[in-house]
Structures are given as C-alpha cells and as structure tokens.
Amino acid sequence: MKREEEKKRAFSLYQEGAFQASLDICTALALNGKDQSLEVLAATNLFALGALEEAEARFRDLALLTPDSSYVHSYLGKVLAAAGNEEATAEYIEAVRLDPENQEALRAYGTYLAGRNDAAGAVPVLAQLVRLSGREEDVRVLASMLLEQGDGAAALDLYTRYPPAGEWHTYIEALLATGDQPGALRVAEQAYRKTGEQRYLHQYLSALAVVDRERALVEYEVYADDEADPAVRFDHLLLLRASGDLAGALEVATTLVASAGAPVYHLVRAELLAALDRKDEAEAAFVAVIQQELSSMEDPETLDLLIRRYREFLLARYDRATVPARFKAVIGDGADVVSLLAMAALYTSLNDPVEARSWYYRAYRADFLNGGLLYAEFLIGTGDQRECEKVVLYLLGTLTRVADLERVAAVVLDQRYGMYRLPRLLERLIAGCEASLHLLSSAGRELCAVAFLVSATDAFEAGQYPRCKECCLRGLDLMPGHPHSLQAGDFFALLVRCKEESLADTPVLGQQHAPEVQVTDQVRPQESGPDLDLDPAEEQVVAFLRTHTRAEEQDLRTLLGTRRVSGIVNRLIRKAAAAGVEIIAKQGVGENGEIYEYVGR
C-alpha cells in the first residue's frame, strides 16, 4: 500500500510543480520494480526540469515499448521541439494519427505548427481541436492561423459559431480583415473602455483612421502621448505622413526614437528627413542605426532592410561615382555575409556584374547557404547556368536541416529564376525532399509536389508517359490539404493529356521507385566520403554497418555511447538522399529497437 501512496504523491507533486521531488520519488520506486506509468512521469519531470537529452532518451525508450501510445509520441514531440530538433514533426504526426481525439496532442502539434508559421498545416489540426474542446484559447489560435492564411471570412465565421467571451483582439482583426471597419471600431472601443489595454486602443485608432481620418488625427493627439504604447505612436506617425504632414510626422518620429529606439523607427525618421531635403541629417540617421545593428547582428532581416533603404537613398541623392566608397565606409568589407551581400547588391544596382560577382562569391564562401542562394540567383540571372548548378548541387549535398532544404527548394522552383530547368537540380531536389517527407512543413510538401509536377511535364514532353503518370500521382499524394498556389487540377489535366497521348497506357501503381536520379561522377559521393559531410558519429555508423551489414538500435547505442541513435541515423539518411545515393535503410523494429541495414556499394 505504501508504494501506491508514494506513487500518488509523485503525481501530486508533479501537478504542484515540484518536479525534482516528484522525479526523486519515481527514481526511488523504480529500484523496486518497473512501472510504466512512473517511467512516463519520470520522463515528463525531466522535460519540465529542462533535462532535454535525458527526457528524449527516456521517451524514445517508451516509444519503442509502447509504439501505440499517442501520449508518449506527443510528449516526445514536445521534447524534440524544445531542443530545436525537426523530428518533432514526425512524432506529433504519429501522436494525432494514433488518437485523433487526443486534445493535448492536437494542441501541442497545432501550437508547434503555428510557431513555425505553418498556417496551412496548423489549420486542420486546430479545427479538429476546436470541434472537440470549444475553448476560447483554441478558437483564438485557429482564428489567428486563418488570418495568417488571408482567410478573414473563415475567421469571422468561426467567431460566429464561438463568440468571444473575454478576448476580443483576434475577433477585431477578423473584422478588419473582412473590411468591416465600423464593426471593428465599435468592438475595439468597447474593449478598450472595458479593459484599458493598449492593444485595443491600437485597433480602435487604426479602424478610425480608415473610417474617419480627420477624427482619427484628433484622437491620436489625445491618446498618442509619450506614455502611450509605441505601436500607437508609430501608427500616429504613419497617419501624419500619409496625410502629408511630414514635419509633424518627423516630430513624432524623433520623440519615438528617443524613447523606444526600435530600428524601424530610426528608418522612418531617416526617410522623413530625406523627404524634407535634409540630406546630411538623413544620412547621419541611416548610418547611426545601421552601425548599431551591424554591431549586434541580432536581427539580420531588419538589418537587410535598413541597408537596402540606405543604398536606395544614396543612389537617389548622390553622384553614383561616389556611392561605393561612401557605402563601403558604413557597411565595411568584413567577413560577415551581411556586409558582403550588401556590397554585391550595390554593384548589381550600379550595373557592374564583374564586381558584383566577386562580392557574391565571397559571400558564398563566408556562408554557403545564405550567401550561396543569392550567388546562385545572380549566376542564373547572368546566364551562367553551369556555375549556378554546381553551387546549388553543393548546397543540396551539404544541408542538414529540413528548413534549409525548403529554402533551397523555393529558390530552385521559383519561376523568376527557372533553375528547375536544370535536370540534375530537379532530380536531386526531389530525392532530398522524399528523404525528409515526414519532416516537411506544408509549404515544403507543396514545393515537393511542384517539383513532381515539373518533372511530370518534362516527362510528358519527352514522350515518357509512364514516368509522367507516376510523377503526377506522387505529386498529388504529397500535396497538402490547403495548398497556397498548386491545385489538384494541375495534375489531373496533365494525367488526362498523358492518357490521351499514350499508345500503351501502362499502369504505374505498385511501382515503388521514384523518378530515376542520375548522378554524375562529378557529384557522386563516396560511401562515407567528404561530399556527404558526415560528422564523426555518422562515420562510425556507416563503418559499423558496412562491416556488419545489419544492426539494431541498441547495437549502435553501445557503439556511440548515446541513446540518440535514431536522430543520428535519420540525419545520415537525409544527407545521403540529398546527394542522390542510398547508404542505410530501415528494416522495421526488433526487440532492441529499430533495425538498420547497409545498402550502399
């Protein structure tokens, strides 16, 4: 009886937030026999304490013992997400597949997707959660994702079915998104009068600026004082600028910069100074904020915006012959990729492709991904397809993160550049995406489907009708439920044309091979060669499996001295697939974990 009492106490302590005390009891009770519920509680305590590696190892063990547990897969997803491991996606998918009514799993997965800005993936998950829970917080997150997708009408319809009780912010955003400014104005004013929260004041004044600009200018004078939320004051600044009162806008901007100091406030102030023909003051304002951001490098996207606007300012207001020296004195020519790309963009604007290429190449050497993508865009734009192909093939062969793979895919499939017309790039991209299907975001899956559509079109034009059909079917299968631009009809139309043209309509279902990937000797990696960029642990795995042909997960744990074998093997498989080869294959699950087999040559 004492064991049961201690067990209940361990659960109570966890509920109270006493995670270490709860874990201590779990550890003590485990000495007298295993109890799966206590093992789950111990792993959950470790996660709450921030011991992510140990929590991951324990939840992976539990997932092997209870592969049908939605709770275990969901919590493993939480642990991996907290550690920044992209394999969280696969665990969340497994959790909701096993139990589509597990509200905590749905909530965790939906929140995870929302945090990754994957609105298309989050909407169906959150919609299921709202149907089950009806909670206002769940409704709010779903509505925010619908708004992120640009579907204000659906968000407003959601609130028709689940009226807001104590949280009106997202509801007001839905009214604004559907053009109901008077309705948004009324609700926001009521919410502000009731709560005094600045976010409602911000919405009230924003709606008023659309409904009655003159009244809004008066109201801003009342509410947008030095104590107001900077967002409210910034909106006042923008309204003054839109109304043509540049001096008034500059006054607000100067006050805002002195008190809040966000880079965008500095930027607008600099641009107002330029518009008022105070060129020297404008340049000083640009230089000050750029140098501040260069020293911290905290927000590369904002820094890129600042540099771009400064470049435009210089080109518009100074003799172009003097611009490079003036620009370089501020940006510098150091090793950081931001400065190097800034100089490359400047020389592109000055129509100097030779100098631009030199700076882009240096940026590529400094940061193979961020610099390499822009270098590839420059190369294809100048007609150097061969060098562009080499750069992107190198990127695809060295990427380790799925998010980076999706970035490269977006560039390769962008119609502005047409890199998808380079056959090796398209084939390698498809191979890389297929190796990471369980980790792709909705946008990534859509990109992969687009790649298959392009490949299907190429096959059709070449008269390769079976391959065309296969690519269409695989693309349809991959396409997310809420695509951004791709439509199922794109595949259907091509399938119909394919059947009409084909003299012998050979069935392709049941054939498990993907479109053949042709890898030349120039880019084919060795079995564990440097082209795959394997880390020491991955090289050990390849060497062990090459010698023993087959091994279970426990064998590799012993070899590497870590429980994190699954992540290492998955990463290795993705690297190999991205390089167009296959080295290791999974062969199911045995008594000692997953079974791996060496399939390289």
Side-chain angles (χ1 to χ4, degrees), residues 458-575:
D458 290 345
F460 176 80
E461 292 175 352
Q464 299 173 357
Y465 301 120
R467 183 184 177 193
C468 174
K469 285 172 37 180
E470 181 181 359
C471 288
C472 284
L473 293 171
R474 295 176 78 84
L476 271 170
D477 189 36
L478 283 172
M479 193 174 74
H482 300 270
H484 178 66
S485 57
L486 192 63
Q487 301 297 326
D490 297 331
F491 292 101
F492 293 145
L494 190 54
L495 277 169
V496 170
R497 290 183 64 197
C498 187
K499 285 182 169 291
E500 289 173 347
E501 295 288 336
S502 178
L503 296 177
D505 191 15
T506 308
V508 296
L509 289 178
Q511 300 180 27
Q512 298 301 315
H513 58 84
E516 184 179 353
V517 179
Q518 299 175 355
V519 183
T520 68
D521 292 337
Q522 287 182 316
V523 296
R524 183 182 299 279
Q526 300 171 0
E527 291 175 336
S528 60
D531 285 349
L532 289 182
D533 192 28
L534 302 184
D535 62 32
E538 293 163 354
E539 289 180 347
Q540 279 187 277
V541 170
V542 172
F544 184 86
L545 285 171
R546 187 188 298 120
T547 302
H548 299 278
T549 305
R550 195 177 179 92
E552 292 190 347
E553 189 170 349
Q554 185 59 51
D555 299 325
L556 298 184
R557 284 185 178 184
T558 303
L559 172 72
L560 300 175
T562 177
R563 294 185 179 185
R564 306 184 71 176
V565 165
S566 178
I568 293 170
V569 173
N570 286 336
R571 188 169 66 241
L572 200 162
I573 291 173
R574 290 201 302 274
K575 285 183 178 181

Side-chain angles (χ1 to χ4, degrees), residues 302-351:
T302 298
L303 178 57
D304 180 66
L305 173 64
L306 293 169
I307 291 173
R308 177 161 48 85
R309 295 288 181 83
Y310 178 51
R311 182 178 72 243
E312 293 167 357
F313 163 77
L314 291 177
L315 292 171
R317 306 244 171 200
Y318 289 87
D319 181 351
R320 290 198 163 207
T322 68
V323 167
R326 188 180 294 270
F327 189 73
K328 189 174 181 181
V330 176
I331 305 303
D333 58 353
D336 64 278
V337 70
V338 173
S339 301
L340 296 169
L341 288 173
M343 292 301 300
L346 173 64
Y347 281 107
T348 300
S349 299
L350 291 170
N351 297 317

